[in-house]
């Protein structure tokens, strides 16, 4: 069915995906397994189940089932804010004067303001189904914590969020949204966990990091009855849930006979990118299509473009399983001048493996250029983008401007993961000319690399 | 066409309204005309044209044309965020255990975060068409200023916003969004206008009011070449533009064979309510239907429920035309403990007249009850509502709970005008138990009434 292409393509509720797509099942060479840091052997289902919900452990370890059914309860929740629109950026194209056709999948039309809700509701559902009292988690910029708060509120679960201290202080409103949904929010590192106390002792002035907040949240889960730990990115299960983004996008594009040449997503831990590209990467793995796929990361936290592809710890306290991934080392903390998210030191193992196989590219961009793109986009497309999402906007604009030079009528698709309503401090810095860029030196990176465990496998 | 009713009813872009609905044209007894405060005679087109854009003056004075075509350029912009979804509040119904069917029209899915954009883009379009350099306006809570900034940015117009000082200081992020769209934002009262200086002289400690900011914005417009003043509510032209809300709502309801029994909207100046009810009120005026229509206002600013229906000034500086409306007096300023908008001292003349004719009801609600409703709604429906919108939620919940008692399966429709992302200070007060209610005493109101001009007409 080919029709004239509207500004926004909304699928019907009946077209909502009924199954998630498990990208690993389509890969010949699979991502390396999670390892028990003590034994260096692959984590077993039993070992993982003390930390994660049982059904989520099954999903985490399942590398063969290509499609996994989305439970009805989760689909009902998805209906409250999905299908998300696929937008043709007519106004941006016009402003750029490019022959390129630009599309973006907008995931910000829900109160959490980002795509994180797609996995939060799934994880909360399985926790509820298992009869748990609640879940613990970490949050950096706050999108994941907000999403999980909403999801837990919906299913009547307790939600304990360890929020990276600098965000807790700089983003009181994010915290307040979580409280609106009934969550308990603690600045991390805190005195409420052993690992938090230890980190505070060693670094009393620390403003926290994601890796540190993860350690605290895991400890809080395993030391409380009826709690498990949930994570908003990096894990296979998260990429699985986020595949709804890509499936909807591809369904909408197929419906109108659109085929992207270039697919662009921002990448911190990889949840959005992994979800957006899922069905497209399947076709690429099957040799049917040859999409150009670009992961965009901050130049200040360049795990793909400058990291090492090795086994590393996922958290500062080294309590989590070890993962083979592109990493800057679990001790790496982005420069304080870095605004917004995308601060994690590693990248999802599936994306790391695909990148290593040459199936996708990566670009690192500097934040003032990112905010320039954000403001240009906001003014013409109306939506105020999150700093994270604006990394993808930056590269989409760059690619569209290349088309302007060459005359190519490329079709560019990017993921607009969320809105920037809680990032106005960063926008203000940008407006006031107080935003700077910082690219870590090789010496800076070496400090992080030094913390990577030396193991031979 | 009757189908199963989805969570969200999205019309197609082709179903976007092509005409605005001019409610006055359907009224036998029209609202009273605007008066020149000096002559007490109806304002002429010429007099109004020094303040407002010519085409908007035509719309302001036109009380006979039932439908006015929406220019193509405005419809193109509408496509970026419209049609807005009509949502069936299945989750809220379930949480309340009510047999009532609850629907809401959600206008918050755009960066300005509210319905105000519907009129902002229209007013900016006519200003551009007239060859103006820019426009001036006032904003209170900030939604209108944000919407106008977006609209002006789209058409390349200057935008000067006088923002009520207490909001300017308490909502720096709203200000920052306006700056993102290139607007110039000045706290009001300011030293940049005569009227501002005069007010500051008389009340040096004032935190400002909408009436005062209007006076400054009007002065700034009439004393600058190529500028006109635009207003986000109260005026007939604004209600006209906002009729897209109601038309879309009715189209969607008709499509699924739904007929509301009760229609509820929050009312400050009346722009949202006037827009939402427009096509329904037409049927009521024609005697075809007998919808119950309820305007909801804050108990701390009760213009309909406790005001007088008389000619009054629209602004503190008394530079605007006089309007016959339900009013608390142009000197009335809501108690400082009142969070959020809906602070205007008067009500749109059209709605005032309809209310006076008994065609709609009004209810005043207290803010702690409003925030209770807001939080309940957020937790089950996912959307974080603006305090303004939550006035309508409060009454919708109250009506649904009545149905629970009586067993009536009423269909309740309300307008969800916007999101509360920039209102987290108020939410925080509510969470911390620091929010209080204040209902003005008769003596308090008398002070406002004393400022109403004594004229006999």
């Amino acid at each position: 069915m080919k029709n004239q292409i509207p500004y926004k393509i909304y699928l019907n509720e009946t077209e909502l995906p009924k199954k998630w797509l498990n990208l690993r099942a389509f890969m010949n060479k699979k991502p390396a397994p999670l390892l028990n840091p003590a034994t260096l052997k692959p984590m077993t289902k039993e070992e993982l189940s003390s930390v994660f919900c049982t059904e989520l452990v099954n999903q985490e370890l399942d590398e063969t089932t290509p499609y996994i059914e989305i439970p009805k309860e989760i689909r009902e929740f998805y209906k409250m804010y999905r299908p998300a629109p696929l937008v043709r950026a007519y106004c941006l194209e016009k402003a750029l004067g490019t022959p390129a056709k630009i599309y973006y999948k907008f995931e910000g039309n829900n109160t959490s303001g980002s795509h994180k809700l797609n996995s939060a509701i799934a994880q909360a559902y399985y926790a509820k189904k298992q009869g748990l009292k609640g879940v613990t988690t970490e949050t950096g910029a706050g999108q994941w914590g907000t999403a999980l708060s909403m999801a837990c509120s919906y299913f009547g679960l307790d939600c304990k969020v360890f929020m990276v201290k600098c965000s807790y202080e700089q983003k009181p409103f994010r915290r307040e949204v979580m409280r609106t949904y009934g969550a308990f929010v603690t600045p991390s590192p805190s005195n409420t966990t052993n690992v938090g106390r230890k980190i505070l002792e060693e670094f009393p002035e620390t403003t926290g990091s994601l890796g540190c907040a993860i350690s605290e949240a895991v400890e809080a889960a395993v030391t409380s009855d009826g709690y498990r730990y949930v994570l908003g990115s990096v894990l296979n299960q998260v990429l699985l849930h986020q595949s709804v983004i890509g499936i909807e996008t591809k369904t909408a594009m197929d419906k109108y006979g659109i085929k992207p040449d270039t697919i662009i997503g921002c990448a911190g831990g990889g949840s959005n990118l992994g979800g957006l590209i899922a069905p497209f990467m399947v076709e690429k793995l099957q040799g049917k299509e040859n999409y150009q796929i670009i992961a965009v990361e901050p130049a200040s936290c360049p795990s793909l473009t400058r990291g090492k592809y090795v086994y590393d710890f996922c958290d500062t306290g080294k309590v989590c399983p070890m993962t083979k991934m592109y990493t800057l080392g679990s001790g790496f903390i982005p420069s304080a001048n870095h605004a917004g998210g995308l601060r994690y030191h590693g990248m999802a193992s599936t994306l790391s493996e695909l990148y290593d196989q040459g199936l996708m590219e990566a670009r690192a961009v500097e934040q003032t250029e990112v905010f320039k793109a954000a403001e240009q986009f906001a003014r013409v497309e109306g939506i105020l983008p999150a700093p994270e999402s604006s990394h993808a906007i930056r590269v989409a604009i760059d690619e569209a401007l290349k088309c302007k030079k060459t005359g190519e009528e490329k079709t560019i698709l990017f993921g607009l993961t969320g809105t920037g309503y809680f990032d106005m401090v960063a926008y203000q810095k940008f407006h006031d000319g107080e935003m700077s860029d910082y690219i870590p030196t090789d010496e800076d990176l070496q400090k992080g690399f030094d913390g990577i465990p030396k193991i031979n496998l």
Side-chain angles (χ1 to χ4, degrees), chain A:
Chain A
M1 183 177 112
K2 283 201 189 190
N3 293 319
Q4 201 201 337
I5 292 156
Y7 272 75
K8 299 186 303 290
I9 305 176
Y10 275 108
L11 298 175
N12 299 318
E13 276 173 19
T14 53
E15 294 170 297
L16 252 181
K18 293 185 180 56
K19 291 175 179 181
W20 290 306
L21 192 166
N22 185 12
L23 189 47
R24 281 170 302 161
F26 297 87
M27 294 168 69
N28 286 325
K29 189 177 169 217
K30 310 283 185 198
L34 295 172
L35 293 190
N36 181 323
T39 63
L40 297 187
K41 287 189 179 153
M43 291 289 290
T44 63
K45 191 179 158 180
E46 289 64 36
E47 287 170 336
L48 285 169
S49 298
S50 63
V51 177
F52 299 107
C53 303
T54 316
E55 192 57 36
L56 292 167
V57 171
N58 292 339
Q59 293 180 354
E60 191 62 31
L61 296 177
D62 184 343
E63 53 182 35
T64 54
T65 313
Y67 296 96
I68 293 175
E69 195 172 323
I70 306 174
K72 190 174 155 285
E73 292 83 351
I74 297 173
R75 280 189 282 127
E76 284 301 303
F77 186 89
Y78 279 167
K79 282 186 191 171
M80 291 208 292
Y81 69 102
R82 309 199 67 83
L86 177 70
V87 187
R88 171 78 184 264
Y90 284 113
C91 297
L92 180 62
E93 291 170 18
K94 196 175 153 196
L96 296 174
T98 177
K101 296 174 188 71
I102 307 175
Y103 292 86
Y104 55 91
K105 178 71 168 173
F106 181 42
E107 291 286 328
N109 266 356
N110 68 74
T111 285
S112 81
S114 83
H115 68 292
K116 297 279 185 182
L117 196 54
N118 301 329
S119 184
I121 193 64
Q123 298 194 44
Y125 166 75
Y126 290 116
K128 184 71 181 178
K129 200 178 159 203
Q130 194 173 327
L132 298 176
K133 283 186 213 158
V135 293
T136 70
T137 199
E138 80 298 325
T139 198
Q143 284 101 326
W144 168 247
T146 310
L148 190 69
S149 305
M150 290 177 66
C152 286
S153 160
Y154 184 77
F155 283 122
L157 285 166
D158 273 2
C159 180
K160 295 183 184 173
V161 180
F162 290 86
M163 186 170 188
V164 176
K165 194 182 273 172
C166 63
S167 291
Y168 183 89
E169 285 162 2
Q170 283 168 17
K171 299 195 170 184
F173 294 167
R174 272 274 177 213
R175 185 184 70 209
E176 225 41 59
V177 179
M178 291 186 244
R179 284 180 77 196
T180 301
Y181 287 96
F184 303 92
V185 189
T186 307
S188 166
S190 76
N191 280 314
T192 67
T193 63
N194 287 326
V195 65
R197 283 188 288 271
K198 202 175 141 196
I199 292 168
L200 279 174
E201 222 164 83
E202 203 172 341
F203 309 100
E205 300 300 315
T206 182
T207 55
S209 71
L210 267 182
C212 167
I214 292 174
S215 299
E216 287 206 89
V218 170
E219 182 183 322
V222 298
T223 56
S224 311
D225 248 9
Y227 283 79
R228 289 294 184 283
Y229 167 69
V230 297
L231 179 63
S233 189
V234 183
L235 296 176
N236 293 312
Q237 58 190 266
V238 180
L239 269 65
L240 175 75
H241 306 148
Q242 295 295 358
S243 67
V244 291
I245 304 173
I247 299 169
E248 279 184 18
T249 304
K250 190 152 192 314
T251 304
M253 290 193 133
D254 287 349
K255 198 165 166 178
Y256 286 89
I258 309 159
K259 195 184 289 285
D261 297 297
T262 302
I263 304 169
I264 300 164
C266 61
S271 70
N272 152 68
L273 183 70
L276 175 67
I277 66 174
F280 300 100
M281 187 58 87
V282 167
E283 292 187 331
K284 198 164 176 174
L285 286 161
Q286 292 170 335
K288 290 182 189 161
E289 297 286 348
N290 193 22
Y291 305 110
Q292 179 188 32
I293 295 174
I294 308 174
V296 190
E297 59 186 14
S300 55
C301 190
S303 57
L304 284 175
T305 50
R306 296 176 70 196
K308 292 188 188 304
Y309 188 38
V310 290
Y311 265 103
D312 194 11
F313 300 108
C314 291
D315 62 320
T316 312
K318 305 176 183 178
V319 300
C320 291
M322 291 170 68
T323 304
K324 189 176 177 192
M325 58 183 175
Y326 276 85
T327 178
L328 299 165
S330 63
F332 180 85
I333 297 182
S335 156
N337 91 336
H338 171 80
L342 310 181
R343 301 168 156 271
Y344 189 62
H345 66 276
M347 183 59 63
S349 62
T350 302
L351 294 181
S352 291
E353 180 57 33
L354 291 165
Y355 179 60
D356 197 58
Q357 292 180 24
L359 288 157
M360 56 183 236
E361 307 167 23
R363 302 235 180 116
V365 291
E366 296 177 45
Q367 69 177 355
T368 49
E369 284 302 312
V370 166
F371 274 82
K372 274 185 208 165
E375 186 161 281
Q376 182 173 21
F377 181 83
R379 290 190 180 186
V380 296
E381 287 290 319
I383 296 168
L384 186 80
E388 296 81 12
S389 326
S390 304
H391 286 71
I393 299 175
R394 174 72 272 162
V395 171
I397 289 177
D398 291 346
E399 291 298 307
L401 290 175
K402 280 186 204 164
C403 291
K404 188 178 180 179
K405 279 195 187 158
T406 62
E408 278 181 289
E409 294 184 20
K410 272 192 184 172
T411 296
I412 297 169
L413 163 68
F414 71 90
L416 189 69
T417 56
T419 49
Y421 301 119
F422 293 102
D423 299 288
M424 296 320 294
V425 169
Y427 272 95
Q428 185 170 358
K429 274 192 187 164
F430 173 69
H431 296 146
D432 293 342
E434 290 166 7
M435 179 170 277
S436 60
D437 293 312
Y438 179 73
I439 304 181
T441 62
D442 288 343
E443 288 71 38
D444 292 334
L445 292 187
Q446 191 55 50
K447 284 179 211 158
F449 294 149
D450 289 343
I452 295 175
K454 315 280 176 293
I455 54 173
N456 285 313
L457 291 166

